[in-house]
Amino acid sequence: MKKRRQHHVWQHYLKSWTVDDLLYCLRDGAIFATGTNSVAVDRDFYKLQKLTDDDLALIKMLVIDPGNRLAKRHHEDLLVNLVGPARFVEQNRHRLNNLDKIEELLDVHQTNALEDYHSGVENRFLPLLDMILAGDLSFYEIDAQCITFLHFICMQTMRTKGVKERTIDRVKRHNGKELARIWDIMSPMFAFNIGMSLFLERKQRKLVLLDNNTNTPFITGDQPIINLRGDGVRPPTELCFYYPVSPRSALLLTEANEQPAFSSASLTAAQVGELNQEMLRASHNQLFGQSKDSLLLVKG
C-alpha cells in the first residue's frame, strides 16, 4: 500500500501537545483545533523522483565524495537502496516481463522508501523520547543510545518542508544548481554527517532538560528543532539545538564548551516567551500549542 500522506514532523511527538486528541495550530493567521494527522503533512512529500545521471553526479559531488570512510559507506548504501530499483528497471526494461506489474511495484517503492526510512529513525528514537518525557537523560552517556538520539534530532532538523524549500531556493539562486529532485535523498546524508560531528563532540556539548514551571507553556512548530545560533538565512558557524518535547519540557544541546543559556532553576516566563518567539521565527507556516491562548501570545 502506498503511504501518500507523509508527515515532515513526527505525529507521535506532537501528541504531547494534544488534549482529547486535539492540539491548536496557528496557520496563515488563523488558530484552530485539529488532530496531529492533519498538520505538517503533504501528499507524496518524500516520493522519490526519476533521477538523471547529472542528478546522481551532483549527489556524489556534494555529499558522498567529501565524506570520510564511514559517511561514504552510509551514503552509498542509502543511495543504492533508494534509487537502485528504478535504475535497474530503466536499464533492463527491454528484457523484463510483466512490465505493468513491475511499474506498479516500483511506484510503491518510490512512494514509500523514504517515508519508511524516516519511520525507522522515529521508531528507534521512541524509547528515548519516553525517557526524556520522564526526565531521564542518561542515554546521552551511552554511546549506542547517544548515536540514536543525535541521528534523530539531525534527521528531524533536516527533513522539514521549510528547510527543503529554503535550501532548494538558495542553492538555485546562488549556485544555479537544481536540488528539487535530489534534496530528499541528500537531507538524510547531511543529517548523518551533522550527527556524526555532534557525536565526536559529545563530551564538549551539554544536554540539559528545561523544566518549565512558569505560566507560559512551550509551543512547537513545523521546524520543531531549531539552532538558537542560526538566523535561517546564512549557514551557521555555531550550533545550539533547542527542542521542546512538551508544553512543560524542552531539550537544549549546547555549543561545544559552553554553559547552557537557560536552566530549569531560573527559567522565567519571559525566557519561555523568548524561546517561543524563536520557534515562531524558525517555523515555515505552522505553529502548535496545547491551548489557543499559548498561540495568541506569540501571534501578537
Side-chain angles (χ1 to χ4, degrees), residues 272-287:
V272 174
E274 180 184 331
L275 289 168
N276 286 345
Q277 287 296 321
E278 291 287 345
M279 188 61 63
L280 170 64
R281 282 189 285 271
S283 67
H284 181 60
N285 63 6
Q286 298 179 48
L287 287 177

Side-chain angles (χ1 to χ4, degrees), residues 29-171:
I31 299 175
F32 54 93
T34 186
T36 59
N37 189 52
S38 300
V39 295
V41 60
D42 282 89
R43 187 177 175 88
D44 296 338
F45 184 74
Y46 295 116
K47 184 172 183 178
L48 296 167
Q49 301 184 48
K50 184 176 180 180
L51 302 185
T52 66
D53 289 339
D54 287 343
D55 290 331
L56 294 172
L58 192 56
I59 294 173
K60 191 171 185 294
M61 179 187 74
L62 293 178
V63 197
I64 295 179
D65 285 348
N68 62 28
R69 182 181 302 174
L70 176 61
K72 289 180 71 171
R73 187 171 67 219
H74 168 270
H75 302 340
E76 288 170 346
D77 287 348
L78 178 62
L79 187 63
V80 168
N81 289 334
L82 294 177
V83 309
R87 298 289 285 182
F88 176 83
V89 171
E90 187 65 26
Q91 293 168 0
N92 296 277
R93 182 178 299 274
H94 61 286
R95 65 181 70 173
L96 294 174
N97 297 319
N98 202 3
L99 194 56
D100 288 344
K101 182 63 176 179
I102 291 173
E103 293 282 7
E104 181 182 332
L105 292 172
L106 179 60
D107 189 54
V108 173
H109 168 81
Q110 298 291 92
T111 303
N112 291 359
L114 270 170
E115 173 72 7
D116 290 343
Y117 181 84
H118 287 295
S119 294
V121 174
E122 292 165 350
N123 289 336
R124 288 189 289 275
F125 178 71
L126 182 57
L128 303 188
L129 178 60
D130 290 340
M131 292 176 69
I132 294 166
L133 292 171
D136 181 2
L137 302 186
S138 60
F139 61 83
Y140 193 62
E141 304 300 323
I142 302 170
D143 285 356
Q145 294 182 340
C146 183
I147 290 170
T148 298
F149 166 71
L150 293 173
H151 189 206
F152 171 82
I153 63 171
C154 293
M155 285 287 294
Q156 178 58 89
T157 302
M158 299 299 292
R159 67 184 279 194
T160 60
K161 190 172 185 177
V163 166
K164 179 178 182 177
E165 292 188 356
R166 286 195 300 271
T167 304
I168 290 171
D169 178 68
R170 186 180 304 143
V171 170

Side-chain angles (χ1 to χ4, degrees), residues 208-245:
V208 297
L209 185 67
L210 300 180
D211 291 317
N212 180 5
N213 297 310
T214 76
N215 292 324
T216 302
F218 291 127
I219 64 170
T220 190
D222 55 7
Q223 185 65 44
I225 302 176
I226 59 177
N227 181 12
L228 297 179
R229 297 294 179 84
D231 59 10
V233 179
R234 294 174 295 273
T237 58
E238 296 182 326
L239 189 149
C240 176
F241 274 147
Y242 165 69
Y243 184 34
V245 292

Side-chain angles (χ1 to χ4, degrees), residues 176-208:
K177 300 293 185 182
E178 180 57 74
L179 301 185
R181 291 185 299 274
I182 60 175
W183 173 252
D184 291 327
I185 294 174
M186 292 172 61
S187 62
M189 298 177 182
F190 284 128
F192 183 90
N193 291 349
I194 298 167
M196 189 165 55
S197 296
L198 292 176
F199 180 73
L200 293 175
E201 297 176 347
R202 66 195 182 283
K203 302 299 184 183
Q204 287 77 51
R205 294 180 180 271
K206 296 181 183 299
L207 180 67
V208 297

